[in-house]
Amino acid sequence: MSQQVAILLCTYQGEKYVPEQLDSFDAQTYPHWKVCASDDSPDDATRRVLADYQSRWKPGQLTVYDGPRKGFVANFMSLICRPEVEADYYSMSDQDDIWYPEKLQRAVEWLDTIPEGVPALYCSRTELIDNLGTTLGYSPLFSRPPAFANALVQNVAGGNTMVFNNAARRLLIAAGSDIDVVAHDWWVYIVVSACGGRVHYDSQPSLRYRQHGGNLIGANAGIGARLLRIRMLFQGHLKKWSDQHITAIAPLLPQLTPENRRTFDRFTRARKRSLLPRIVGIVRSGIYRQTTLGNIGLLAAAISNRI
């Protein structure tokens, strides 16, 4: 394996944790990587840390760009679509995690089995840690297969675990960097699965995912977090997110597979119907979440017209 991986690192006032993140890159068993960092920080503290690693690493191994300063989604999407960034595979990274040494190795081994022109996305579970690095548990182990019918209503993995190929990146560029979506990783899952790509969910964790208070919900850890997500369905969050995704995916509709286009059309039509036709249409669309509790919440959201 000699494919180069561009690690897409987005930073924002991350000087406290960035060194551990960068050190975990340096400890990778897979040697063919470079870091492309996009910094959104309002001061130069994080830049000083990045500059220190630039001076220690070989030339070209770490390049730093100015971020758009429009939030984390815009930062990641601008980096994904930046024309100067070129590699064989692209691995998104938060600024405060700690990668397992074999993270890139496992991702590249799977990606190398996929034909070059087929969009492909690797993702995995995570080990959850607190601010001090103490293990809190693990992200959920999902058993249902990743697919567009799932991606429409749920993201199965964090962007910090995701690695994708150039065919997937071309789709993301075609959709554009200036998109209004709730999360960059969920968007990547939607795009790759929609357009006939292959998505591999690795049940083995690939990194230590640092939790800062409220983002424990982002990791979907525990029954409390899952119940909160169900409550969010009732509050109409999913409806708003679906509206955003339906708008954002419009440029890619010609590239959806026939099966996924049918799923998309049934889902979008059903959302506009009255109660009984809406429920029937949602069921016929085939959309699903990964757990029984999640699917009960999905049905309740359809009944209450919050989907």
Side-chain angles (χ1 to χ4, degrees), residues 128-190:
L128 310 177
I129 62 174
D130 64 15
N131 284 342
L132 301 178
T134 303
T135 299
L136 301 173
Y138 294 87
S139 62
L141 176 60
F142 295 126
S143 57
R144 300 192 69 176
F148 181 59
N150 176 227
L152 276 172
V153 289
Q154 182 183 21
N155 186 26
V156 296
N160 51 3
T161 74
M162 291 180 170
V163 189
F164 52 89
N165 64 4
N166 268 308
R169 186 190 184 210
R170 285 192 291 270
L171 292 172
L172 295 166
I173 291 174
S177 61
D178 188 19
I179 53 171
D180 180 23
V181 294
V182 64
H184 60 286
D185 47 8
W186 192 355
W187 176 240
V188 172
Y189 179 33
I190 288 173

Short mmCIF file of all heavy atoms in Angstrom, two decimals, residues 128-190:
data_model
loop_
_atom_site.label_atom_id
_atom_site.label_comp_id
_atom_site.label_asym_id
_atom_site.label_seq_id
_atom_site.Cartn_x
_atom_site.Cartn_y
_atom_site.Cartn_z
N LEU A 128 -14.87 6.41 23.73
CA LEU A 128 -15.20 7.73 24.28
C LEU A 128 -14.34 8.01 25.50
O LEU A 128 -14.22 7.17 26.39
CB LEU A 128 -16.68 7.79 24.65
CG LEU A 128 -17.67 7.32 23.57
CD1 LEU A 128 -19.10 7.37 24.10
CD2 LEU A 128 -17.53 8.15 22.31
N ILE A 129 -13.75 9.21 25.54
CA ILE A 129 -12.93 9.61 26.68
C ILE A 129 -13.35 10.99 27.17
O ILE A 129 -13.97 11.75 26.42
CB ILE A 129 -11.42 9.61 26.32
CG1 ILE A 129 -11.13 10.63 25.21
CG2 ILE A 129 -10.95 8.22 25.93
CD1 ILE A 129 -9.65 10.81 24.89
N ASP A 130 -13.00 11.31 28.42
CA ASP A 130 -13.31 12.64 28.94
C ASP A 130 -12.14 13.59 28.70
O ASP A 130 -11.16 13.23 28.03
CB ASP A 130 -13.70 12.57 30.42
CG ASP A 130 -12.56 12.08 31.32
OD1 ASP A 130 -11.40 12.06 30.87
OD2 ASP A 130 -12.84 11.71 32.48
N ASN A 131 -12.22 14.77 29.27
CA ASN A 131 -11.18 15.78 29.06
C ASN A 131 -9.80 15.31 29.51
O ASN A 131 -8.78 15.76 28.97
CB ASN A 131 -11.53 17.06 29.82
CG ASN A 131 -12.61 17.86 29.13
OD1 ASN A 131 -12.88 17.67 27.94
ND2 ASN A 131 -13.26 18.74 29.86
N LEU A 132 -9.78 14.40 30.50
CA LEU A 132 -8.51 13.93 31.05
C LEU A 132 -8.01 12.67 30.37
O LEU A 132 -6.95 12.16 30.72
CB LEU A 132 -8.66 13.70 32.56
CG LEU A 132 -9.08 14.92 33.39
CD1 LEU A 132 -9.25 14.52 34.86
CD2 LEU A 132 -8.05 16.04 33.25
N GLY A 133 -8.79 12.15 29.43
CA GLY A 133 -8.38 10.95 28.72
C GLY A 133 -8.89 9.65 29.33
O GLY A 133 -8.51 8.57 28.89
N THR A 134 -9.77 9.74 30.33
CA THR A 134 -10.33 8.56 30.97
C THR A 134 -11.42 7.96 30.09
O THR A 134 -12.28 8.68 29.58
CB THR A 134 -10.93 8.91 32.34
OG1 THR A 134 -9.92 9.52 33.15
CG2 THR A 134 -11.45 7.67 33.04
N THR A 135 -11.38 6.65 29.91
CA THR A 135 -12.37 5.99 29.07
C THR A 135 -13.76 6.04 29.69
O THR A 135 -13.94 5.71 30.87
CB THR A 135 -11.97 4.52 28.81
OG1 THR A 135 -10.71 4.49 28.13
CG2 THR A 135 -13.02 3.81 27.96
N LEU A 136 -14.74 6.45 28.88
CA LEU A 136 -16.13 6.52 29.32
C LEU A 136 -16.97 5.38 28.77
O LEU A 136 -18.04 5.09 29.29
CB LEU A 136 -16.74 7.85 28.86
CG LEU A 136 -16.07 9.13 29.37
CD1 LEU A 136 -16.69 10.35 28.69
CD2 LEU A 136 -16.20 9.26 30.88
N GLY A 137 -16.50 4.75 27.72
CA GLY A 137 -17.27 3.70 27.06
C GLY A 137 -16.99 3.73 25.57
O GLY A 137 -15.95 4.22 25.14
N TYR A 138 -17.95 3.25 24.80
CA TYR A 138 -17.79 3.18 23.35
C TYR A 138 -19.05 3.65 22.66
O TYR A 138 -20.15 3.59 23.22
CB TYR A 138 -17.46 1.74 22.93
CG TYR A 138 -16.12 1.27 23.44
CD1 TYR A 138 -16.01 0.68 24.70
CD2 TYR A 138 -14.97 1.44 22.69
CE1 TYR A 138 -14.78 0.27 25.19
CE2 TYR A 138 -13.73 1.04 23.16
CZ TYR A 138 -13.64 0.45 24.41
OH TYR A 138 -12.42 0.07 24.90
N SER A 139 -18.90 4.13 21.46
CA SER A 139 -20.07 4.51 20.67
C SER A 139 -20.88 3.26 20.34
O SER A 139 -20.36 2.14 20.42
CB SER A 139 -19.62 5.23 19.39
OG SER A 139 -18.85 4.37 18.57
N PRO A 140 -22.15 3.42 19.97
CA PRO A 140 -23.00 2.25 19.73
C PRO A 140 -22.46 1.35 18.63
O PRO A 140 -21.82 1.81 17.69
CB PRO A 140 -24.34 2.87 19.29
CG PRO A 140 -24.32 4.26 19.85
CD PRO A 140 -22.89 4.68 19.81
N LEU A 141 -22.73 0.06 18.77
CA LEU A 141 -22.40 -0.90 17.73
C LEU A 141 -23.65 -1.12 16.90
O LEU A 141 -24.61 -1.75 17.34
CB LEU A 141 -21.93 -2.22 18.34
CG LEU A 141 -21.66 -3.36 17.35
CD1 LEU A 141 -20.56 -2.96 16.37
CD2 LEU A 141 -21.26 -4.63 18.10
N PHE A 142 -23.66 -0.58 15.70
CA PHE A 142 -24.82 -0.70 14.82
C PHE A 142 -24.76 -2.01 14.04
O PHE A 142 -23.69 -2.40 13.57
CB PHE A 142 -24.89 0.49 13.87
CG PHE A 142 -25.12 1.81 14.55
CD1 PHE A 142 -24.27 2.88 14.34
CD2 PHE A 142 -26.19 1.97 15.42
CE1 PHE A 142 -24.48 4.09 14.97
CE2 PHE A 142 -26.42 3.19 16.05
CZ PHE A 142 -25.55 4.25 15.83
N SER A 143 -25.91 -2.64 13.89
CA SER A 143 -25.94 -3.95 13.22
C SER A 143 -26.58 -3.90 11.84
O SER A 143 -26.30 -4.76 11.00
CB SER A 143 -26.69 -4.96 14.09
OG SER A 143 -28.02 -4.51 14.36
N ARG A 144 -27.43 -2.92 11.58
CA ARG A 144 -28.06 -2.84 10.26
C ARG A 144 -27.08 -2.23 9.27
O ARG A 144 -26.22 -1.41 9.63
CB ARG A 144 -29.35 -2.02 10.33
CG ARG A 144 -30.38 -2.60 11.28
CD ARG A 144 -31.73 -1.96 11.11
NE ARG A 144 -32.35 -2.32 9.84
CZ ARG A 144 -33.58 -1.93 9.47
NH1 ARG A 144 -34.30 -1.17 10.28
NH2 ARG A 144 -34.07 -2.29 8.30
N PRO A 145 -27.16 -2.61 8.01
CA PRO A 145 -26.17 -2.14 7.03
C PRO A 145 -26.30 -0.65 6.76
O PRO A 145 -27.42 -0.10 6.74
CB PRO A 145 -26.49 -2.96 5.78
CG PRO A 145 -27.93 -3.33 5.92
CD PRO A 145 -28.15 -3.53 7.39
N PRO A 146 -25.18 0.04 6.53
CA PRO A 146 -25.25 1.44 6.11
C PRO A 146 -25.83 1.52 4.70
O PRO A 146 -25.50 0.71 3.84
CB PRO A 146 -23.80 1.91 6.15
CG PRO A 146 -22.99 0.66 6.02
CD PRO A 146 -23.79 -0.44 6.65
N ALA A 147 -26.70 2.49 4.47
CA ALA A 147 -27.36 2.62 3.16
C ALA A 147 -28.01 3.99 3.09
O ALA A 147 -28.19 4.68 4.10
CB ALA A 147 -28.43 1.53 2.98
N PHE A 148 -28.38 4.39 1.89
CA PHE A 148 -29.02 5.68 1.69
C PHE A 148 -30.33 5.77 2.46
O PHE A 148 -30.66 6.83 3.02
CB PHE A 148 -29.26 5.91 0.20
CG PHE A 148 -29.91 7.24 -0.12
CD1 PHE A 148 -29.30 8.43 0.24
CD2 PHE A 148 -31.12 7.28 -0.80
CE1 PHE A 148 -29.90 9.66 -0.06
CE2 PHE A 148 -31.72 8.49 -1.11
CZ PHE A 148 -31.11 9.69 -0.74
N ALA A 149 -31.09 4.68 2.53
CA ALA A 149 -32.35 4.67 3.26
C ALA A 149 -32.14 4.94 4.74
O ALA A 149 -33.04 5.47 5.42
CB ALA A 149 -33.07 3.34 3.05
N ASN A 150 -30.99 4.60 5.26
CA ASN A 150 -30.63 4.93 6.63
C ASN A 150 -30.09 6.36 6.71
O ASN A 150 -30.42 7.13 7.63
CB ASN A 150 -29.61 3.93 7.14
CG ASN A 150 -29.09 4.24 8.54
OD1 ASN A 150 -27.89 4.21 8.79
ND2 ASN A 150 -29.98 4.52 9.47
N ALA A 151 -29.24 6.73 5.75
CA ALA A 151 -28.59 8.04 5.78
C ALA A 151 -29.58 9.20 5.72
O ALA A 151 -29.31 10.27 6.27
CB ALA A 151 -27.61 8.15 4.60
N LEU A 152 -30.73 9.00 5.09
CA LEU A 152 -31.72 10.07 5.01
C LEU A 152 -32.21 10.51 6.39
O LEU A 152 -32.62 11.67 6.57
CB LEU A 152 -32.91 9.62 4.16
CG LEU A 152 -32.78 9.78 2.65
CD1 LEU A 152 -33.94 9.12 1.94
CD2 LEU A 152 -32.68 11.25 2.27
N VAL A 153 -32.15 9.61 7.37
CA VAL A 153 -32.71 9.93 8.69
C VAL A 153 -31.74 9.70 9.85
O VAL A 153 -32.10 9.89 11.00
CB VAL A 153 -34.01 9.12 8.94
CG1 VAL A 153 -35.13 9.62 8.05
CG2 VAL A 153 -33.78 7.63 8.73
N GLN A 154 -30.49 9.31 9.54
CA GLN A 154 -29.54 9.04 10.62
C GLN A 154 -28.12 8.97 10.09
O GLN A 154 -27.88 8.45 9.00
CB GLN A 154 -29.89 7.70 11.31
CG GLN A 154 -29.01 7.34 12.48
CD GLN A 154 -29.35 5.98 13.07
OE1 GLN A 154 -29.96 5.12 12.40
NE2 GLN A 154 -28.98 5.76 14.31
N ASN A 155 -27.18 9.46 10.89
CA ASN A 155 -25.77 9.27 10.59
C ASN A 155 -25.22 8.16 11.48
O ASN A 155 -25.52 8.13 12.68
CB ASN A 155 -24.98 10.55 10.81
CG ASN A 155 -23.54 10.43 10.37
OD1 ASN A 155 -23.21 9.63 9.51
ND2 ASN A 155 -22.67 11.22 10.98
N VAL A 156 -24.43 7.25 10.92
CA VAL A 156 -23.98 6.10 11.70
C VAL A 156 -22.60 6.28 12.32
O VAL A 156 -22.20 5.48 13.16
CB VAL A 156 -23.96 4.80 10.85
CG1 VAL A 156 -25.37 4.42 10.42
CG2 VAL A 156 -23.03 4.94 9.64
N ALA A 157 -21.85 7.30 11.93
CA ALA A 157 -20.48 7.42 12.44
C ALA A 157 -20.02 8.85 12.43
O ALA A 157 -20.51 9.68 11.67
CB ALA A 157 -19.53 6.55 11.63
N GLY A 158 -19.06 9.15 13.27
CA GLY A 158 -18.51 10.48 13.35
C GLY A 158 -17.54 10.77 12.22
O GLY A 158 -16.86 9.87 11.72
N GLY A 159 -17.46 12.03 11.83
CA GLY A 159 -16.53 12.41 10.78
C GLY A 159 -15.09 12.15 11.14
O GLY A 159 -14.25 11.94 10.27
N ASN A 160 -14.80 12.13 12.45
CA ASN A 160 -13.42 11.89 12.88
C ASN A 160 -12.95 10.47 12.57
O ASN A 160 -11.76 10.18 12.65
CB ASN A 160 -13.24 12.20 14.36
CG ASN A 160 -14.27 11.53 15.25
OD1 ASN A 160 -15.12 10.77 14.80
ND2 ASN A 160 -14.21 11.84 16.54
N THR A 161 -13.88 9.59 12.21
CA THR A 161 -13.50 8.22 11.81
C THR A 161 -13.49 8.03 10.30
O THR A 161 -13.02 7.01 9.81
CB THR A 161 -14.48 7.18 12.40
OG1 THR A 161 -15.74 7.22 11.70
CG2 THR A 161 -14.71 7.42 13.88
N MET A 162 -14.01 9.00 9.55
CA MET A 162 -14.27 8.80 8.13
C MET A 162 -13.03 8.98 7.26
O MET A 162 -12.25 9.92 7.43
CB MET A 162 -15.35 9.76 7.65
CG MET A 162 -16.73 9.44 8.20
SD MET A 162 -17.98 10.60 7.59
CE MET A 162 -19.49 9.78 8.15
N VAL A 163 -12.87 8.08 6.29
CA VAL A 163 -11.84 8.15 5.26
C VAL A 163 -12.52 7.83 3.93
O VAL A 163 -13.24 6.83 3.84
CB VAL A 163 -10.68 7.17 5.52
CG1 VAL A 163 -9.53 7.44 4.54
CG2 VAL A 163 -10.18 7.26 6.96
N PHE A 164 -12.32 8.65 2.91
CA PHE A 164 -13.01 8.42 1.64
C PHE A 164 -12.05 8.61 0.47
O PHE A 164 -10.96 9.17 0.62
CB PHE A 164 -14.24 9.32 1.49
CG PHE A 164 -13.99 10.78 1.71
CD1 PHE A 164 -13.61 11.61 0.66
CD2 PHE A 164 -14.16 11.35 2.97
CE1 PHE A 164 -13.40 12.96 0.85
CE2 PHE A 164 -13.93 12.71 3.18
CZ PHE A 164 -13.55 13.52 2.13
N ASN A 165 -12.48 8.14 -0.70
CA ASN A 165 -11.60 8.17 -1.87
C ASN A 165 -11.93 9.35 -2.78
O ASN A 165 -12.82 10.17 -2.50
CB ASN A 165 -11.67 6.84 -2.63
CG ASN A 165 -13.05 6.55 -3.21
OD1 ASN A 165 -13.98 7.37 -3.12
ND2 ASN A 165 -13.19 5.38 -3.81
N ASN A 166 -11.21 9.45 -3.91
CA ASN A 166 -11.39 10.58 -4.81
C ASN A 166 -12.74 10.57 -5.51
O ASN A 166 -13.29 11.63 -5.81
CB ASN A 166 -10.26 10.62 -5.84
CG ASN A 166 -9.10 11.49 -5.39
OD1 ASN A 166 -9.29 12.64 -5.03
ND2 ASN A 166 -7.90 10.94 -5.39
N ALA A 167 -13.27 9.38 -5.79
CA ALA A 167 -14.59 9.32 -6.42
C ALA A 167 -15.65 9.92 -5.50
O ALA A 167 -16.56 10.63 -5.95
CB ALA A 167 -14.94 7.87 -6.76
N ALA A 168 -15.54 9.67 -4.20
CA ALA A 168 -16.45 10.28 -3.24
C ALA A 168 -16.22 11.78 -3.15
O ALA A 168 -17.16 12.57 -3.09
CB ALA A 168 -16.26 9.63 -1.86
N ARG A 169 -14.96 12.17 -3.16
CA ARG A 169 -14.65 13.61 -3.06
C ARG A 169 -15.21 14.38 -4.26
O ARG A 169 -15.70 15.50 -4.12
CB ARG A 169 -13.14 13.81 -2.97
CG ARG A 169 -12.75 15.26 -2.72
CD ARG A 169 -11.28 15.51 -2.86
NE ARG A 169 -10.93 16.88 -2.54
CZ ARG A 169 -9.92 17.54 -3.07
NH1 ARG A 169 -9.14 16.94 -3.97
NH2 ARG A 169 -9.66 18.78 -2.73
N ARG A 170 -15.14 13.79 -5.45
CA ARG A 170 -15.68 14.48 -6.64
C ARG A 170 -17.17 14.75 -6.48
O ARG A 170 -17.67 15.79 -6.93
CB ARG A 170 -15.39 13.65 -7.89
CG ARG A 170 -13.93 13.71 -8.34
CD ARG A 170 -13.75 13.14 -9.73
NE ARG A 170 -13.94 11.70 -9.76
CZ ARG A 170 -12.98 10.80 -9.57
NH1 ARG A 170 -11.74 11.21 -9.33
NH2 ARG A 170 -13.23 9.51 -9.64
N LEU A 171 -17.90 13.83 -5.87
CA LEU A 171 -19.32 14.05 -5.62
C LEU A 171 -19.53 15.21 -4.66
O LEU A 171 -20.42 16.05 -4.87
CB LEU A 171 -19.95 12.78 -5.04
CG LEU A 171 -20.05 11.57 -5.96
CD1 LEU A 171 -20.52 10.35 -5.18
CD2 LEU A 171 -21.00 11.85 -7.12
N LEU A 172 -18.73 15.27 -3.61
CA LEU A 172 -18.86 16.34 -2.62
C LEU A 172 -18.53 17.70 -3.25
O LEU A 172 -19.19 18.70 -2.97
CB LEU A 172 -17.94 16.06 -1.44
CG LEU A 172 -18.31 14.82 -0.62
CD1 LEU A 172 -17.17 14.43 0.31
CD2 LEU A 172 -19.59 15.06 0.18
N ILE A 173 -17.53 17.72 -4.12
CA ILE A 173 -17.18 18.96 -4.81
C ILE A 173 -18.31 19.38 -5.75
O ILE A 173 -18.64 20.57 -5.85
CB ILE A 173 -15.86 18.78 -5.58
CG1 ILE A 173 -14.69 18.64 -4.59
CG2 ILE A 173 -15.62 19.96 -6.53
CD1 ILE A 173 -13.37 18.31 -5.26
N ALA A 174 -18.92 18.40 -6.43
CA ALA A 174 -20.02 18.71 -7.34
C ALA A 174 -21.21 19.32 -6.61
O ALA A 174 -21.91 20.19 -7.15
CB ALA A 174 -20.45 17.44 -8.08
N ALA A 175 -21.44 18.87 -5.38
CA ALA A 175 -22.53 19.43 -4.59
C ALA A 175 -22.19 20.82 -4.06
O ALA A 175 -23.09 21.62 -3.77
CB ALA A 175 -22.87 18.50 -3.42
N GLY A 176 -20.90 21.10 -3.92
CA GLY A 176 -20.46 22.43 -3.51
C GLY A 176 -20.07 22.51 -2.05
O GLY A 176 -20.54 21.74 -1.21
N SER A 177 -19.20 23.47 -1.75
CA SER A 177 -18.74 23.64 -0.37
C SER A 177 -19.67 24.53 0.44
O SER A 177 -19.72 24.43 1.66
CB SER A 177 -17.33 24.26 -0.37
OG SER A 177 -17.34 25.54 -0.99
N ASP A 178 -20.40 25.40 -0.23
CA ASP A 178 -21.27 26.34 0.47
C ASP A 178 -22.68 25.77 0.58
O ASP A 178 -23.61 26.20 -0.10
CB ASP A 178 -21.29 27.68 -0.27
CG ASP A 178 -22.02 28.76 0.52
OD1 ASP A 178 -22.17 28.59 1.74
OD2 ASP A 178 -22.45 29.76 -0.10
N ILE A 179 -22.82 24.77 1.44
CA ILE A 179 -24.11 24.10 1.58
C ILE A 179 -24.63 24.30 3.01
O ILE A 179 -23.86 24.48 3.95
CB ILE A 179 -24.01 22.59 1.28
CG1 ILE A 179 -22.90 21.96 2.12
CG2 ILE A 179 -23.80 22.35 -0.21
CD1 ILE A 179 -22.86 20.46 2.05
N ASP A 180 -25.93 24.24 3.14
CA ASP A 180 -26.58 24.43 4.44
C ASP A 180 -27.03 23.07 4.96
O ASP A 180 -28.13 22.61 4.64
CB ASP A 180 -27.77 25.38 4.30
CG ASP A 180 -28.50 25.62 5.62
OD1 ASP A 180 -27.87 25.42 6.69
OD2 ASP A 180 -29.69 25.98 5.59
N VAL A 181 -26.18 22.41 5.72
CA VAL A 181 -26.50 21.12 6.32
C VAL A 181 -26.11 21.16 7.79
O VAL A 181 -25.28 21.97 8.21
CB VAL A 181 -25.79 19.94 5.61
CG1 VAL A 181 -26.30 19.78 4.19
CG2 VAL A 181 -24.28 20.12 5.62
N VAL A 182 -26.68 20.25 8.57
CA VAL A 182 -26.46 20.28 10.01
C VAL A 182 -25.08 19.79 10.39
O VAL A 182 -24.49 20.27 11.37
CB VAL A 182 -27.55 19.46 10.74
CG1 VAL A 182 -27.49 17.99 10.36
CG2 VAL A 182 -27.43 19.63 12.25
N ALA A 183 -24.52 18.84 9.63
CA ALA A 183 -23.21 18.28 9.98
C ALA A 183 -22.52 17.78 8.72
O ALA A 183 -23.15 17.15 7.86
CB ALA A 183 -23.36 17.14 10.98
N HIS A 184 -21.21 18.02 8.63
CA HIS A 184 -20.45 17.61 7.46
C HIS A 184 -20.37 16.10 7.31
O HIS A 184 -20.42 15.56 6.20
CB HIS A 184 -19.03 18.19 7.53
CG HIS A 184 -18.28 17.74 8.74
ND1 HIS A 184 -18.54 18.22 10.01
CD2 HIS A 184 -17.27 16.84 8.89
CE1 HIS A 184 -17.73 17.64 10.88
NE2 HIS A 184 -16.96 16.80 10.23
N ASP A 185 -20.26 15.38 8.44
CA ASP A 185 -20.11 13.92 8.35
C ASP A 185 -21.41 13.26 7.90
O ASP A 185 -21.39 12.33 7.08
CB ASP A 185 -19.61 13.33 9.67
CG ASP A 185 -20.34 13.84 10.90
OD1 ASP A 185 -21.35 14.56 10.76
OD2 ASP A 185 -19.88 13.53 12.02
N TRP A 186 -22.53 13.72 8.42
CA TRP A 186 -23.82 13.18 7.96
C TRP A 186 -23.98 13.43 6.47
O TRP A 186 -24.43 12.55 5.72
CB TRP A 186 -24.94 13.84 8.75
CG TRP A 186 -26.29 13.18 8.60
CD1 TRP A 186 -26.63 12.13 7.77
CD2 TRP A 186 -27.49 13.53 9.30
NE1 TRP A 186 -27.95 11.81 7.91
CE2 TRP A 186 -28.51 12.66 8.85
CE3 TRP A 186 -27.79 14.49 10.26
CZ2 TRP A 186 -29.81 12.73 9.34
CZ3 TRP A 186 -29.09 14.55 10.75
CH2 TRP A 186 -30.09 13.69 10.30
N TRP A 187 -23.57 14.61 6.02
CA TRP A 187 -23.66 14.94 4.60
C TRP A 187 -22.81 14.00 3.74
O TRP A 187 -23.24 13.53 2.70
CB TRP A 187 -23.27 16.39 4.39
CG TRP A 187 -23.21 16.84 2.96
CD1 TRP A 187 -22.15 17.33 2.28
CD2 TRP A 187 -24.30 16.83 2.02
NE1 TRP A 187 -22.48 17.64 0.99
CE2 TRP A 187 -23.80 17.34 0.80
CE3 TRP A 187 -25.64 16.45 2.10
CZ2 TRP A 187 -24.59 17.47 -0.34
CZ3 TRP A 187 -26.44 16.58 0.96
CH2 TRP A 187 -25.91 17.09 -0.23
N VAL A 188 -21.61 13.71 4.19
CA VAL A 188 -20.73 12.78 3.45
C VAL A 188 -21.40 11.42 3.34
O VAL A 188 -21.39 10.78 2.27
CB VAL A 188 -19.36 12.68 4.13
CG1 VAL A 188 -18.52 11.57 3.48
CG2 VAL A 188 -18.62 14.01 4.04
N TYR A 189 -21.98 10.93 4.43
CA TYR A 189 -22.69 9.64 4.42
C TYR A 189 -23.84 9.65 3.43
O TYR A 189 -24.03 8.70 2.65
CB TYR A 189 -23.17 9.34 5.84
CG TYR A 189 -23.94 8.05 6.03
CD1 TYR A 189 -23.67 6.90 5.28
CD2 TYR A 189 -24.95 7.97 6.99
CE1 TYR A 189 -24.38 5.73 5.48
CE2 TYR A 189 -25.65 6.80 7.20
CZ TYR A 189 -25.37 5.68 6.44
OH TYR A 189 -26.09 4.52 6.64
N ILE A 190 -24.62 10.72 3.41
CA ILE A 190 -25.75 10.83 2.49
C ILE A 190 -25.26 10.78 1.04
O ILE A 190 -25.77 10.02 0.21
CB ILE A 190 -26.53 12.14 2.75
CG1 ILE A 190 -27.32 12.03 4.05
CG2 ILE A 190 -27.48 12.45 1.58
CD1 ILE A 190 -28.00 13.33 4.47
#
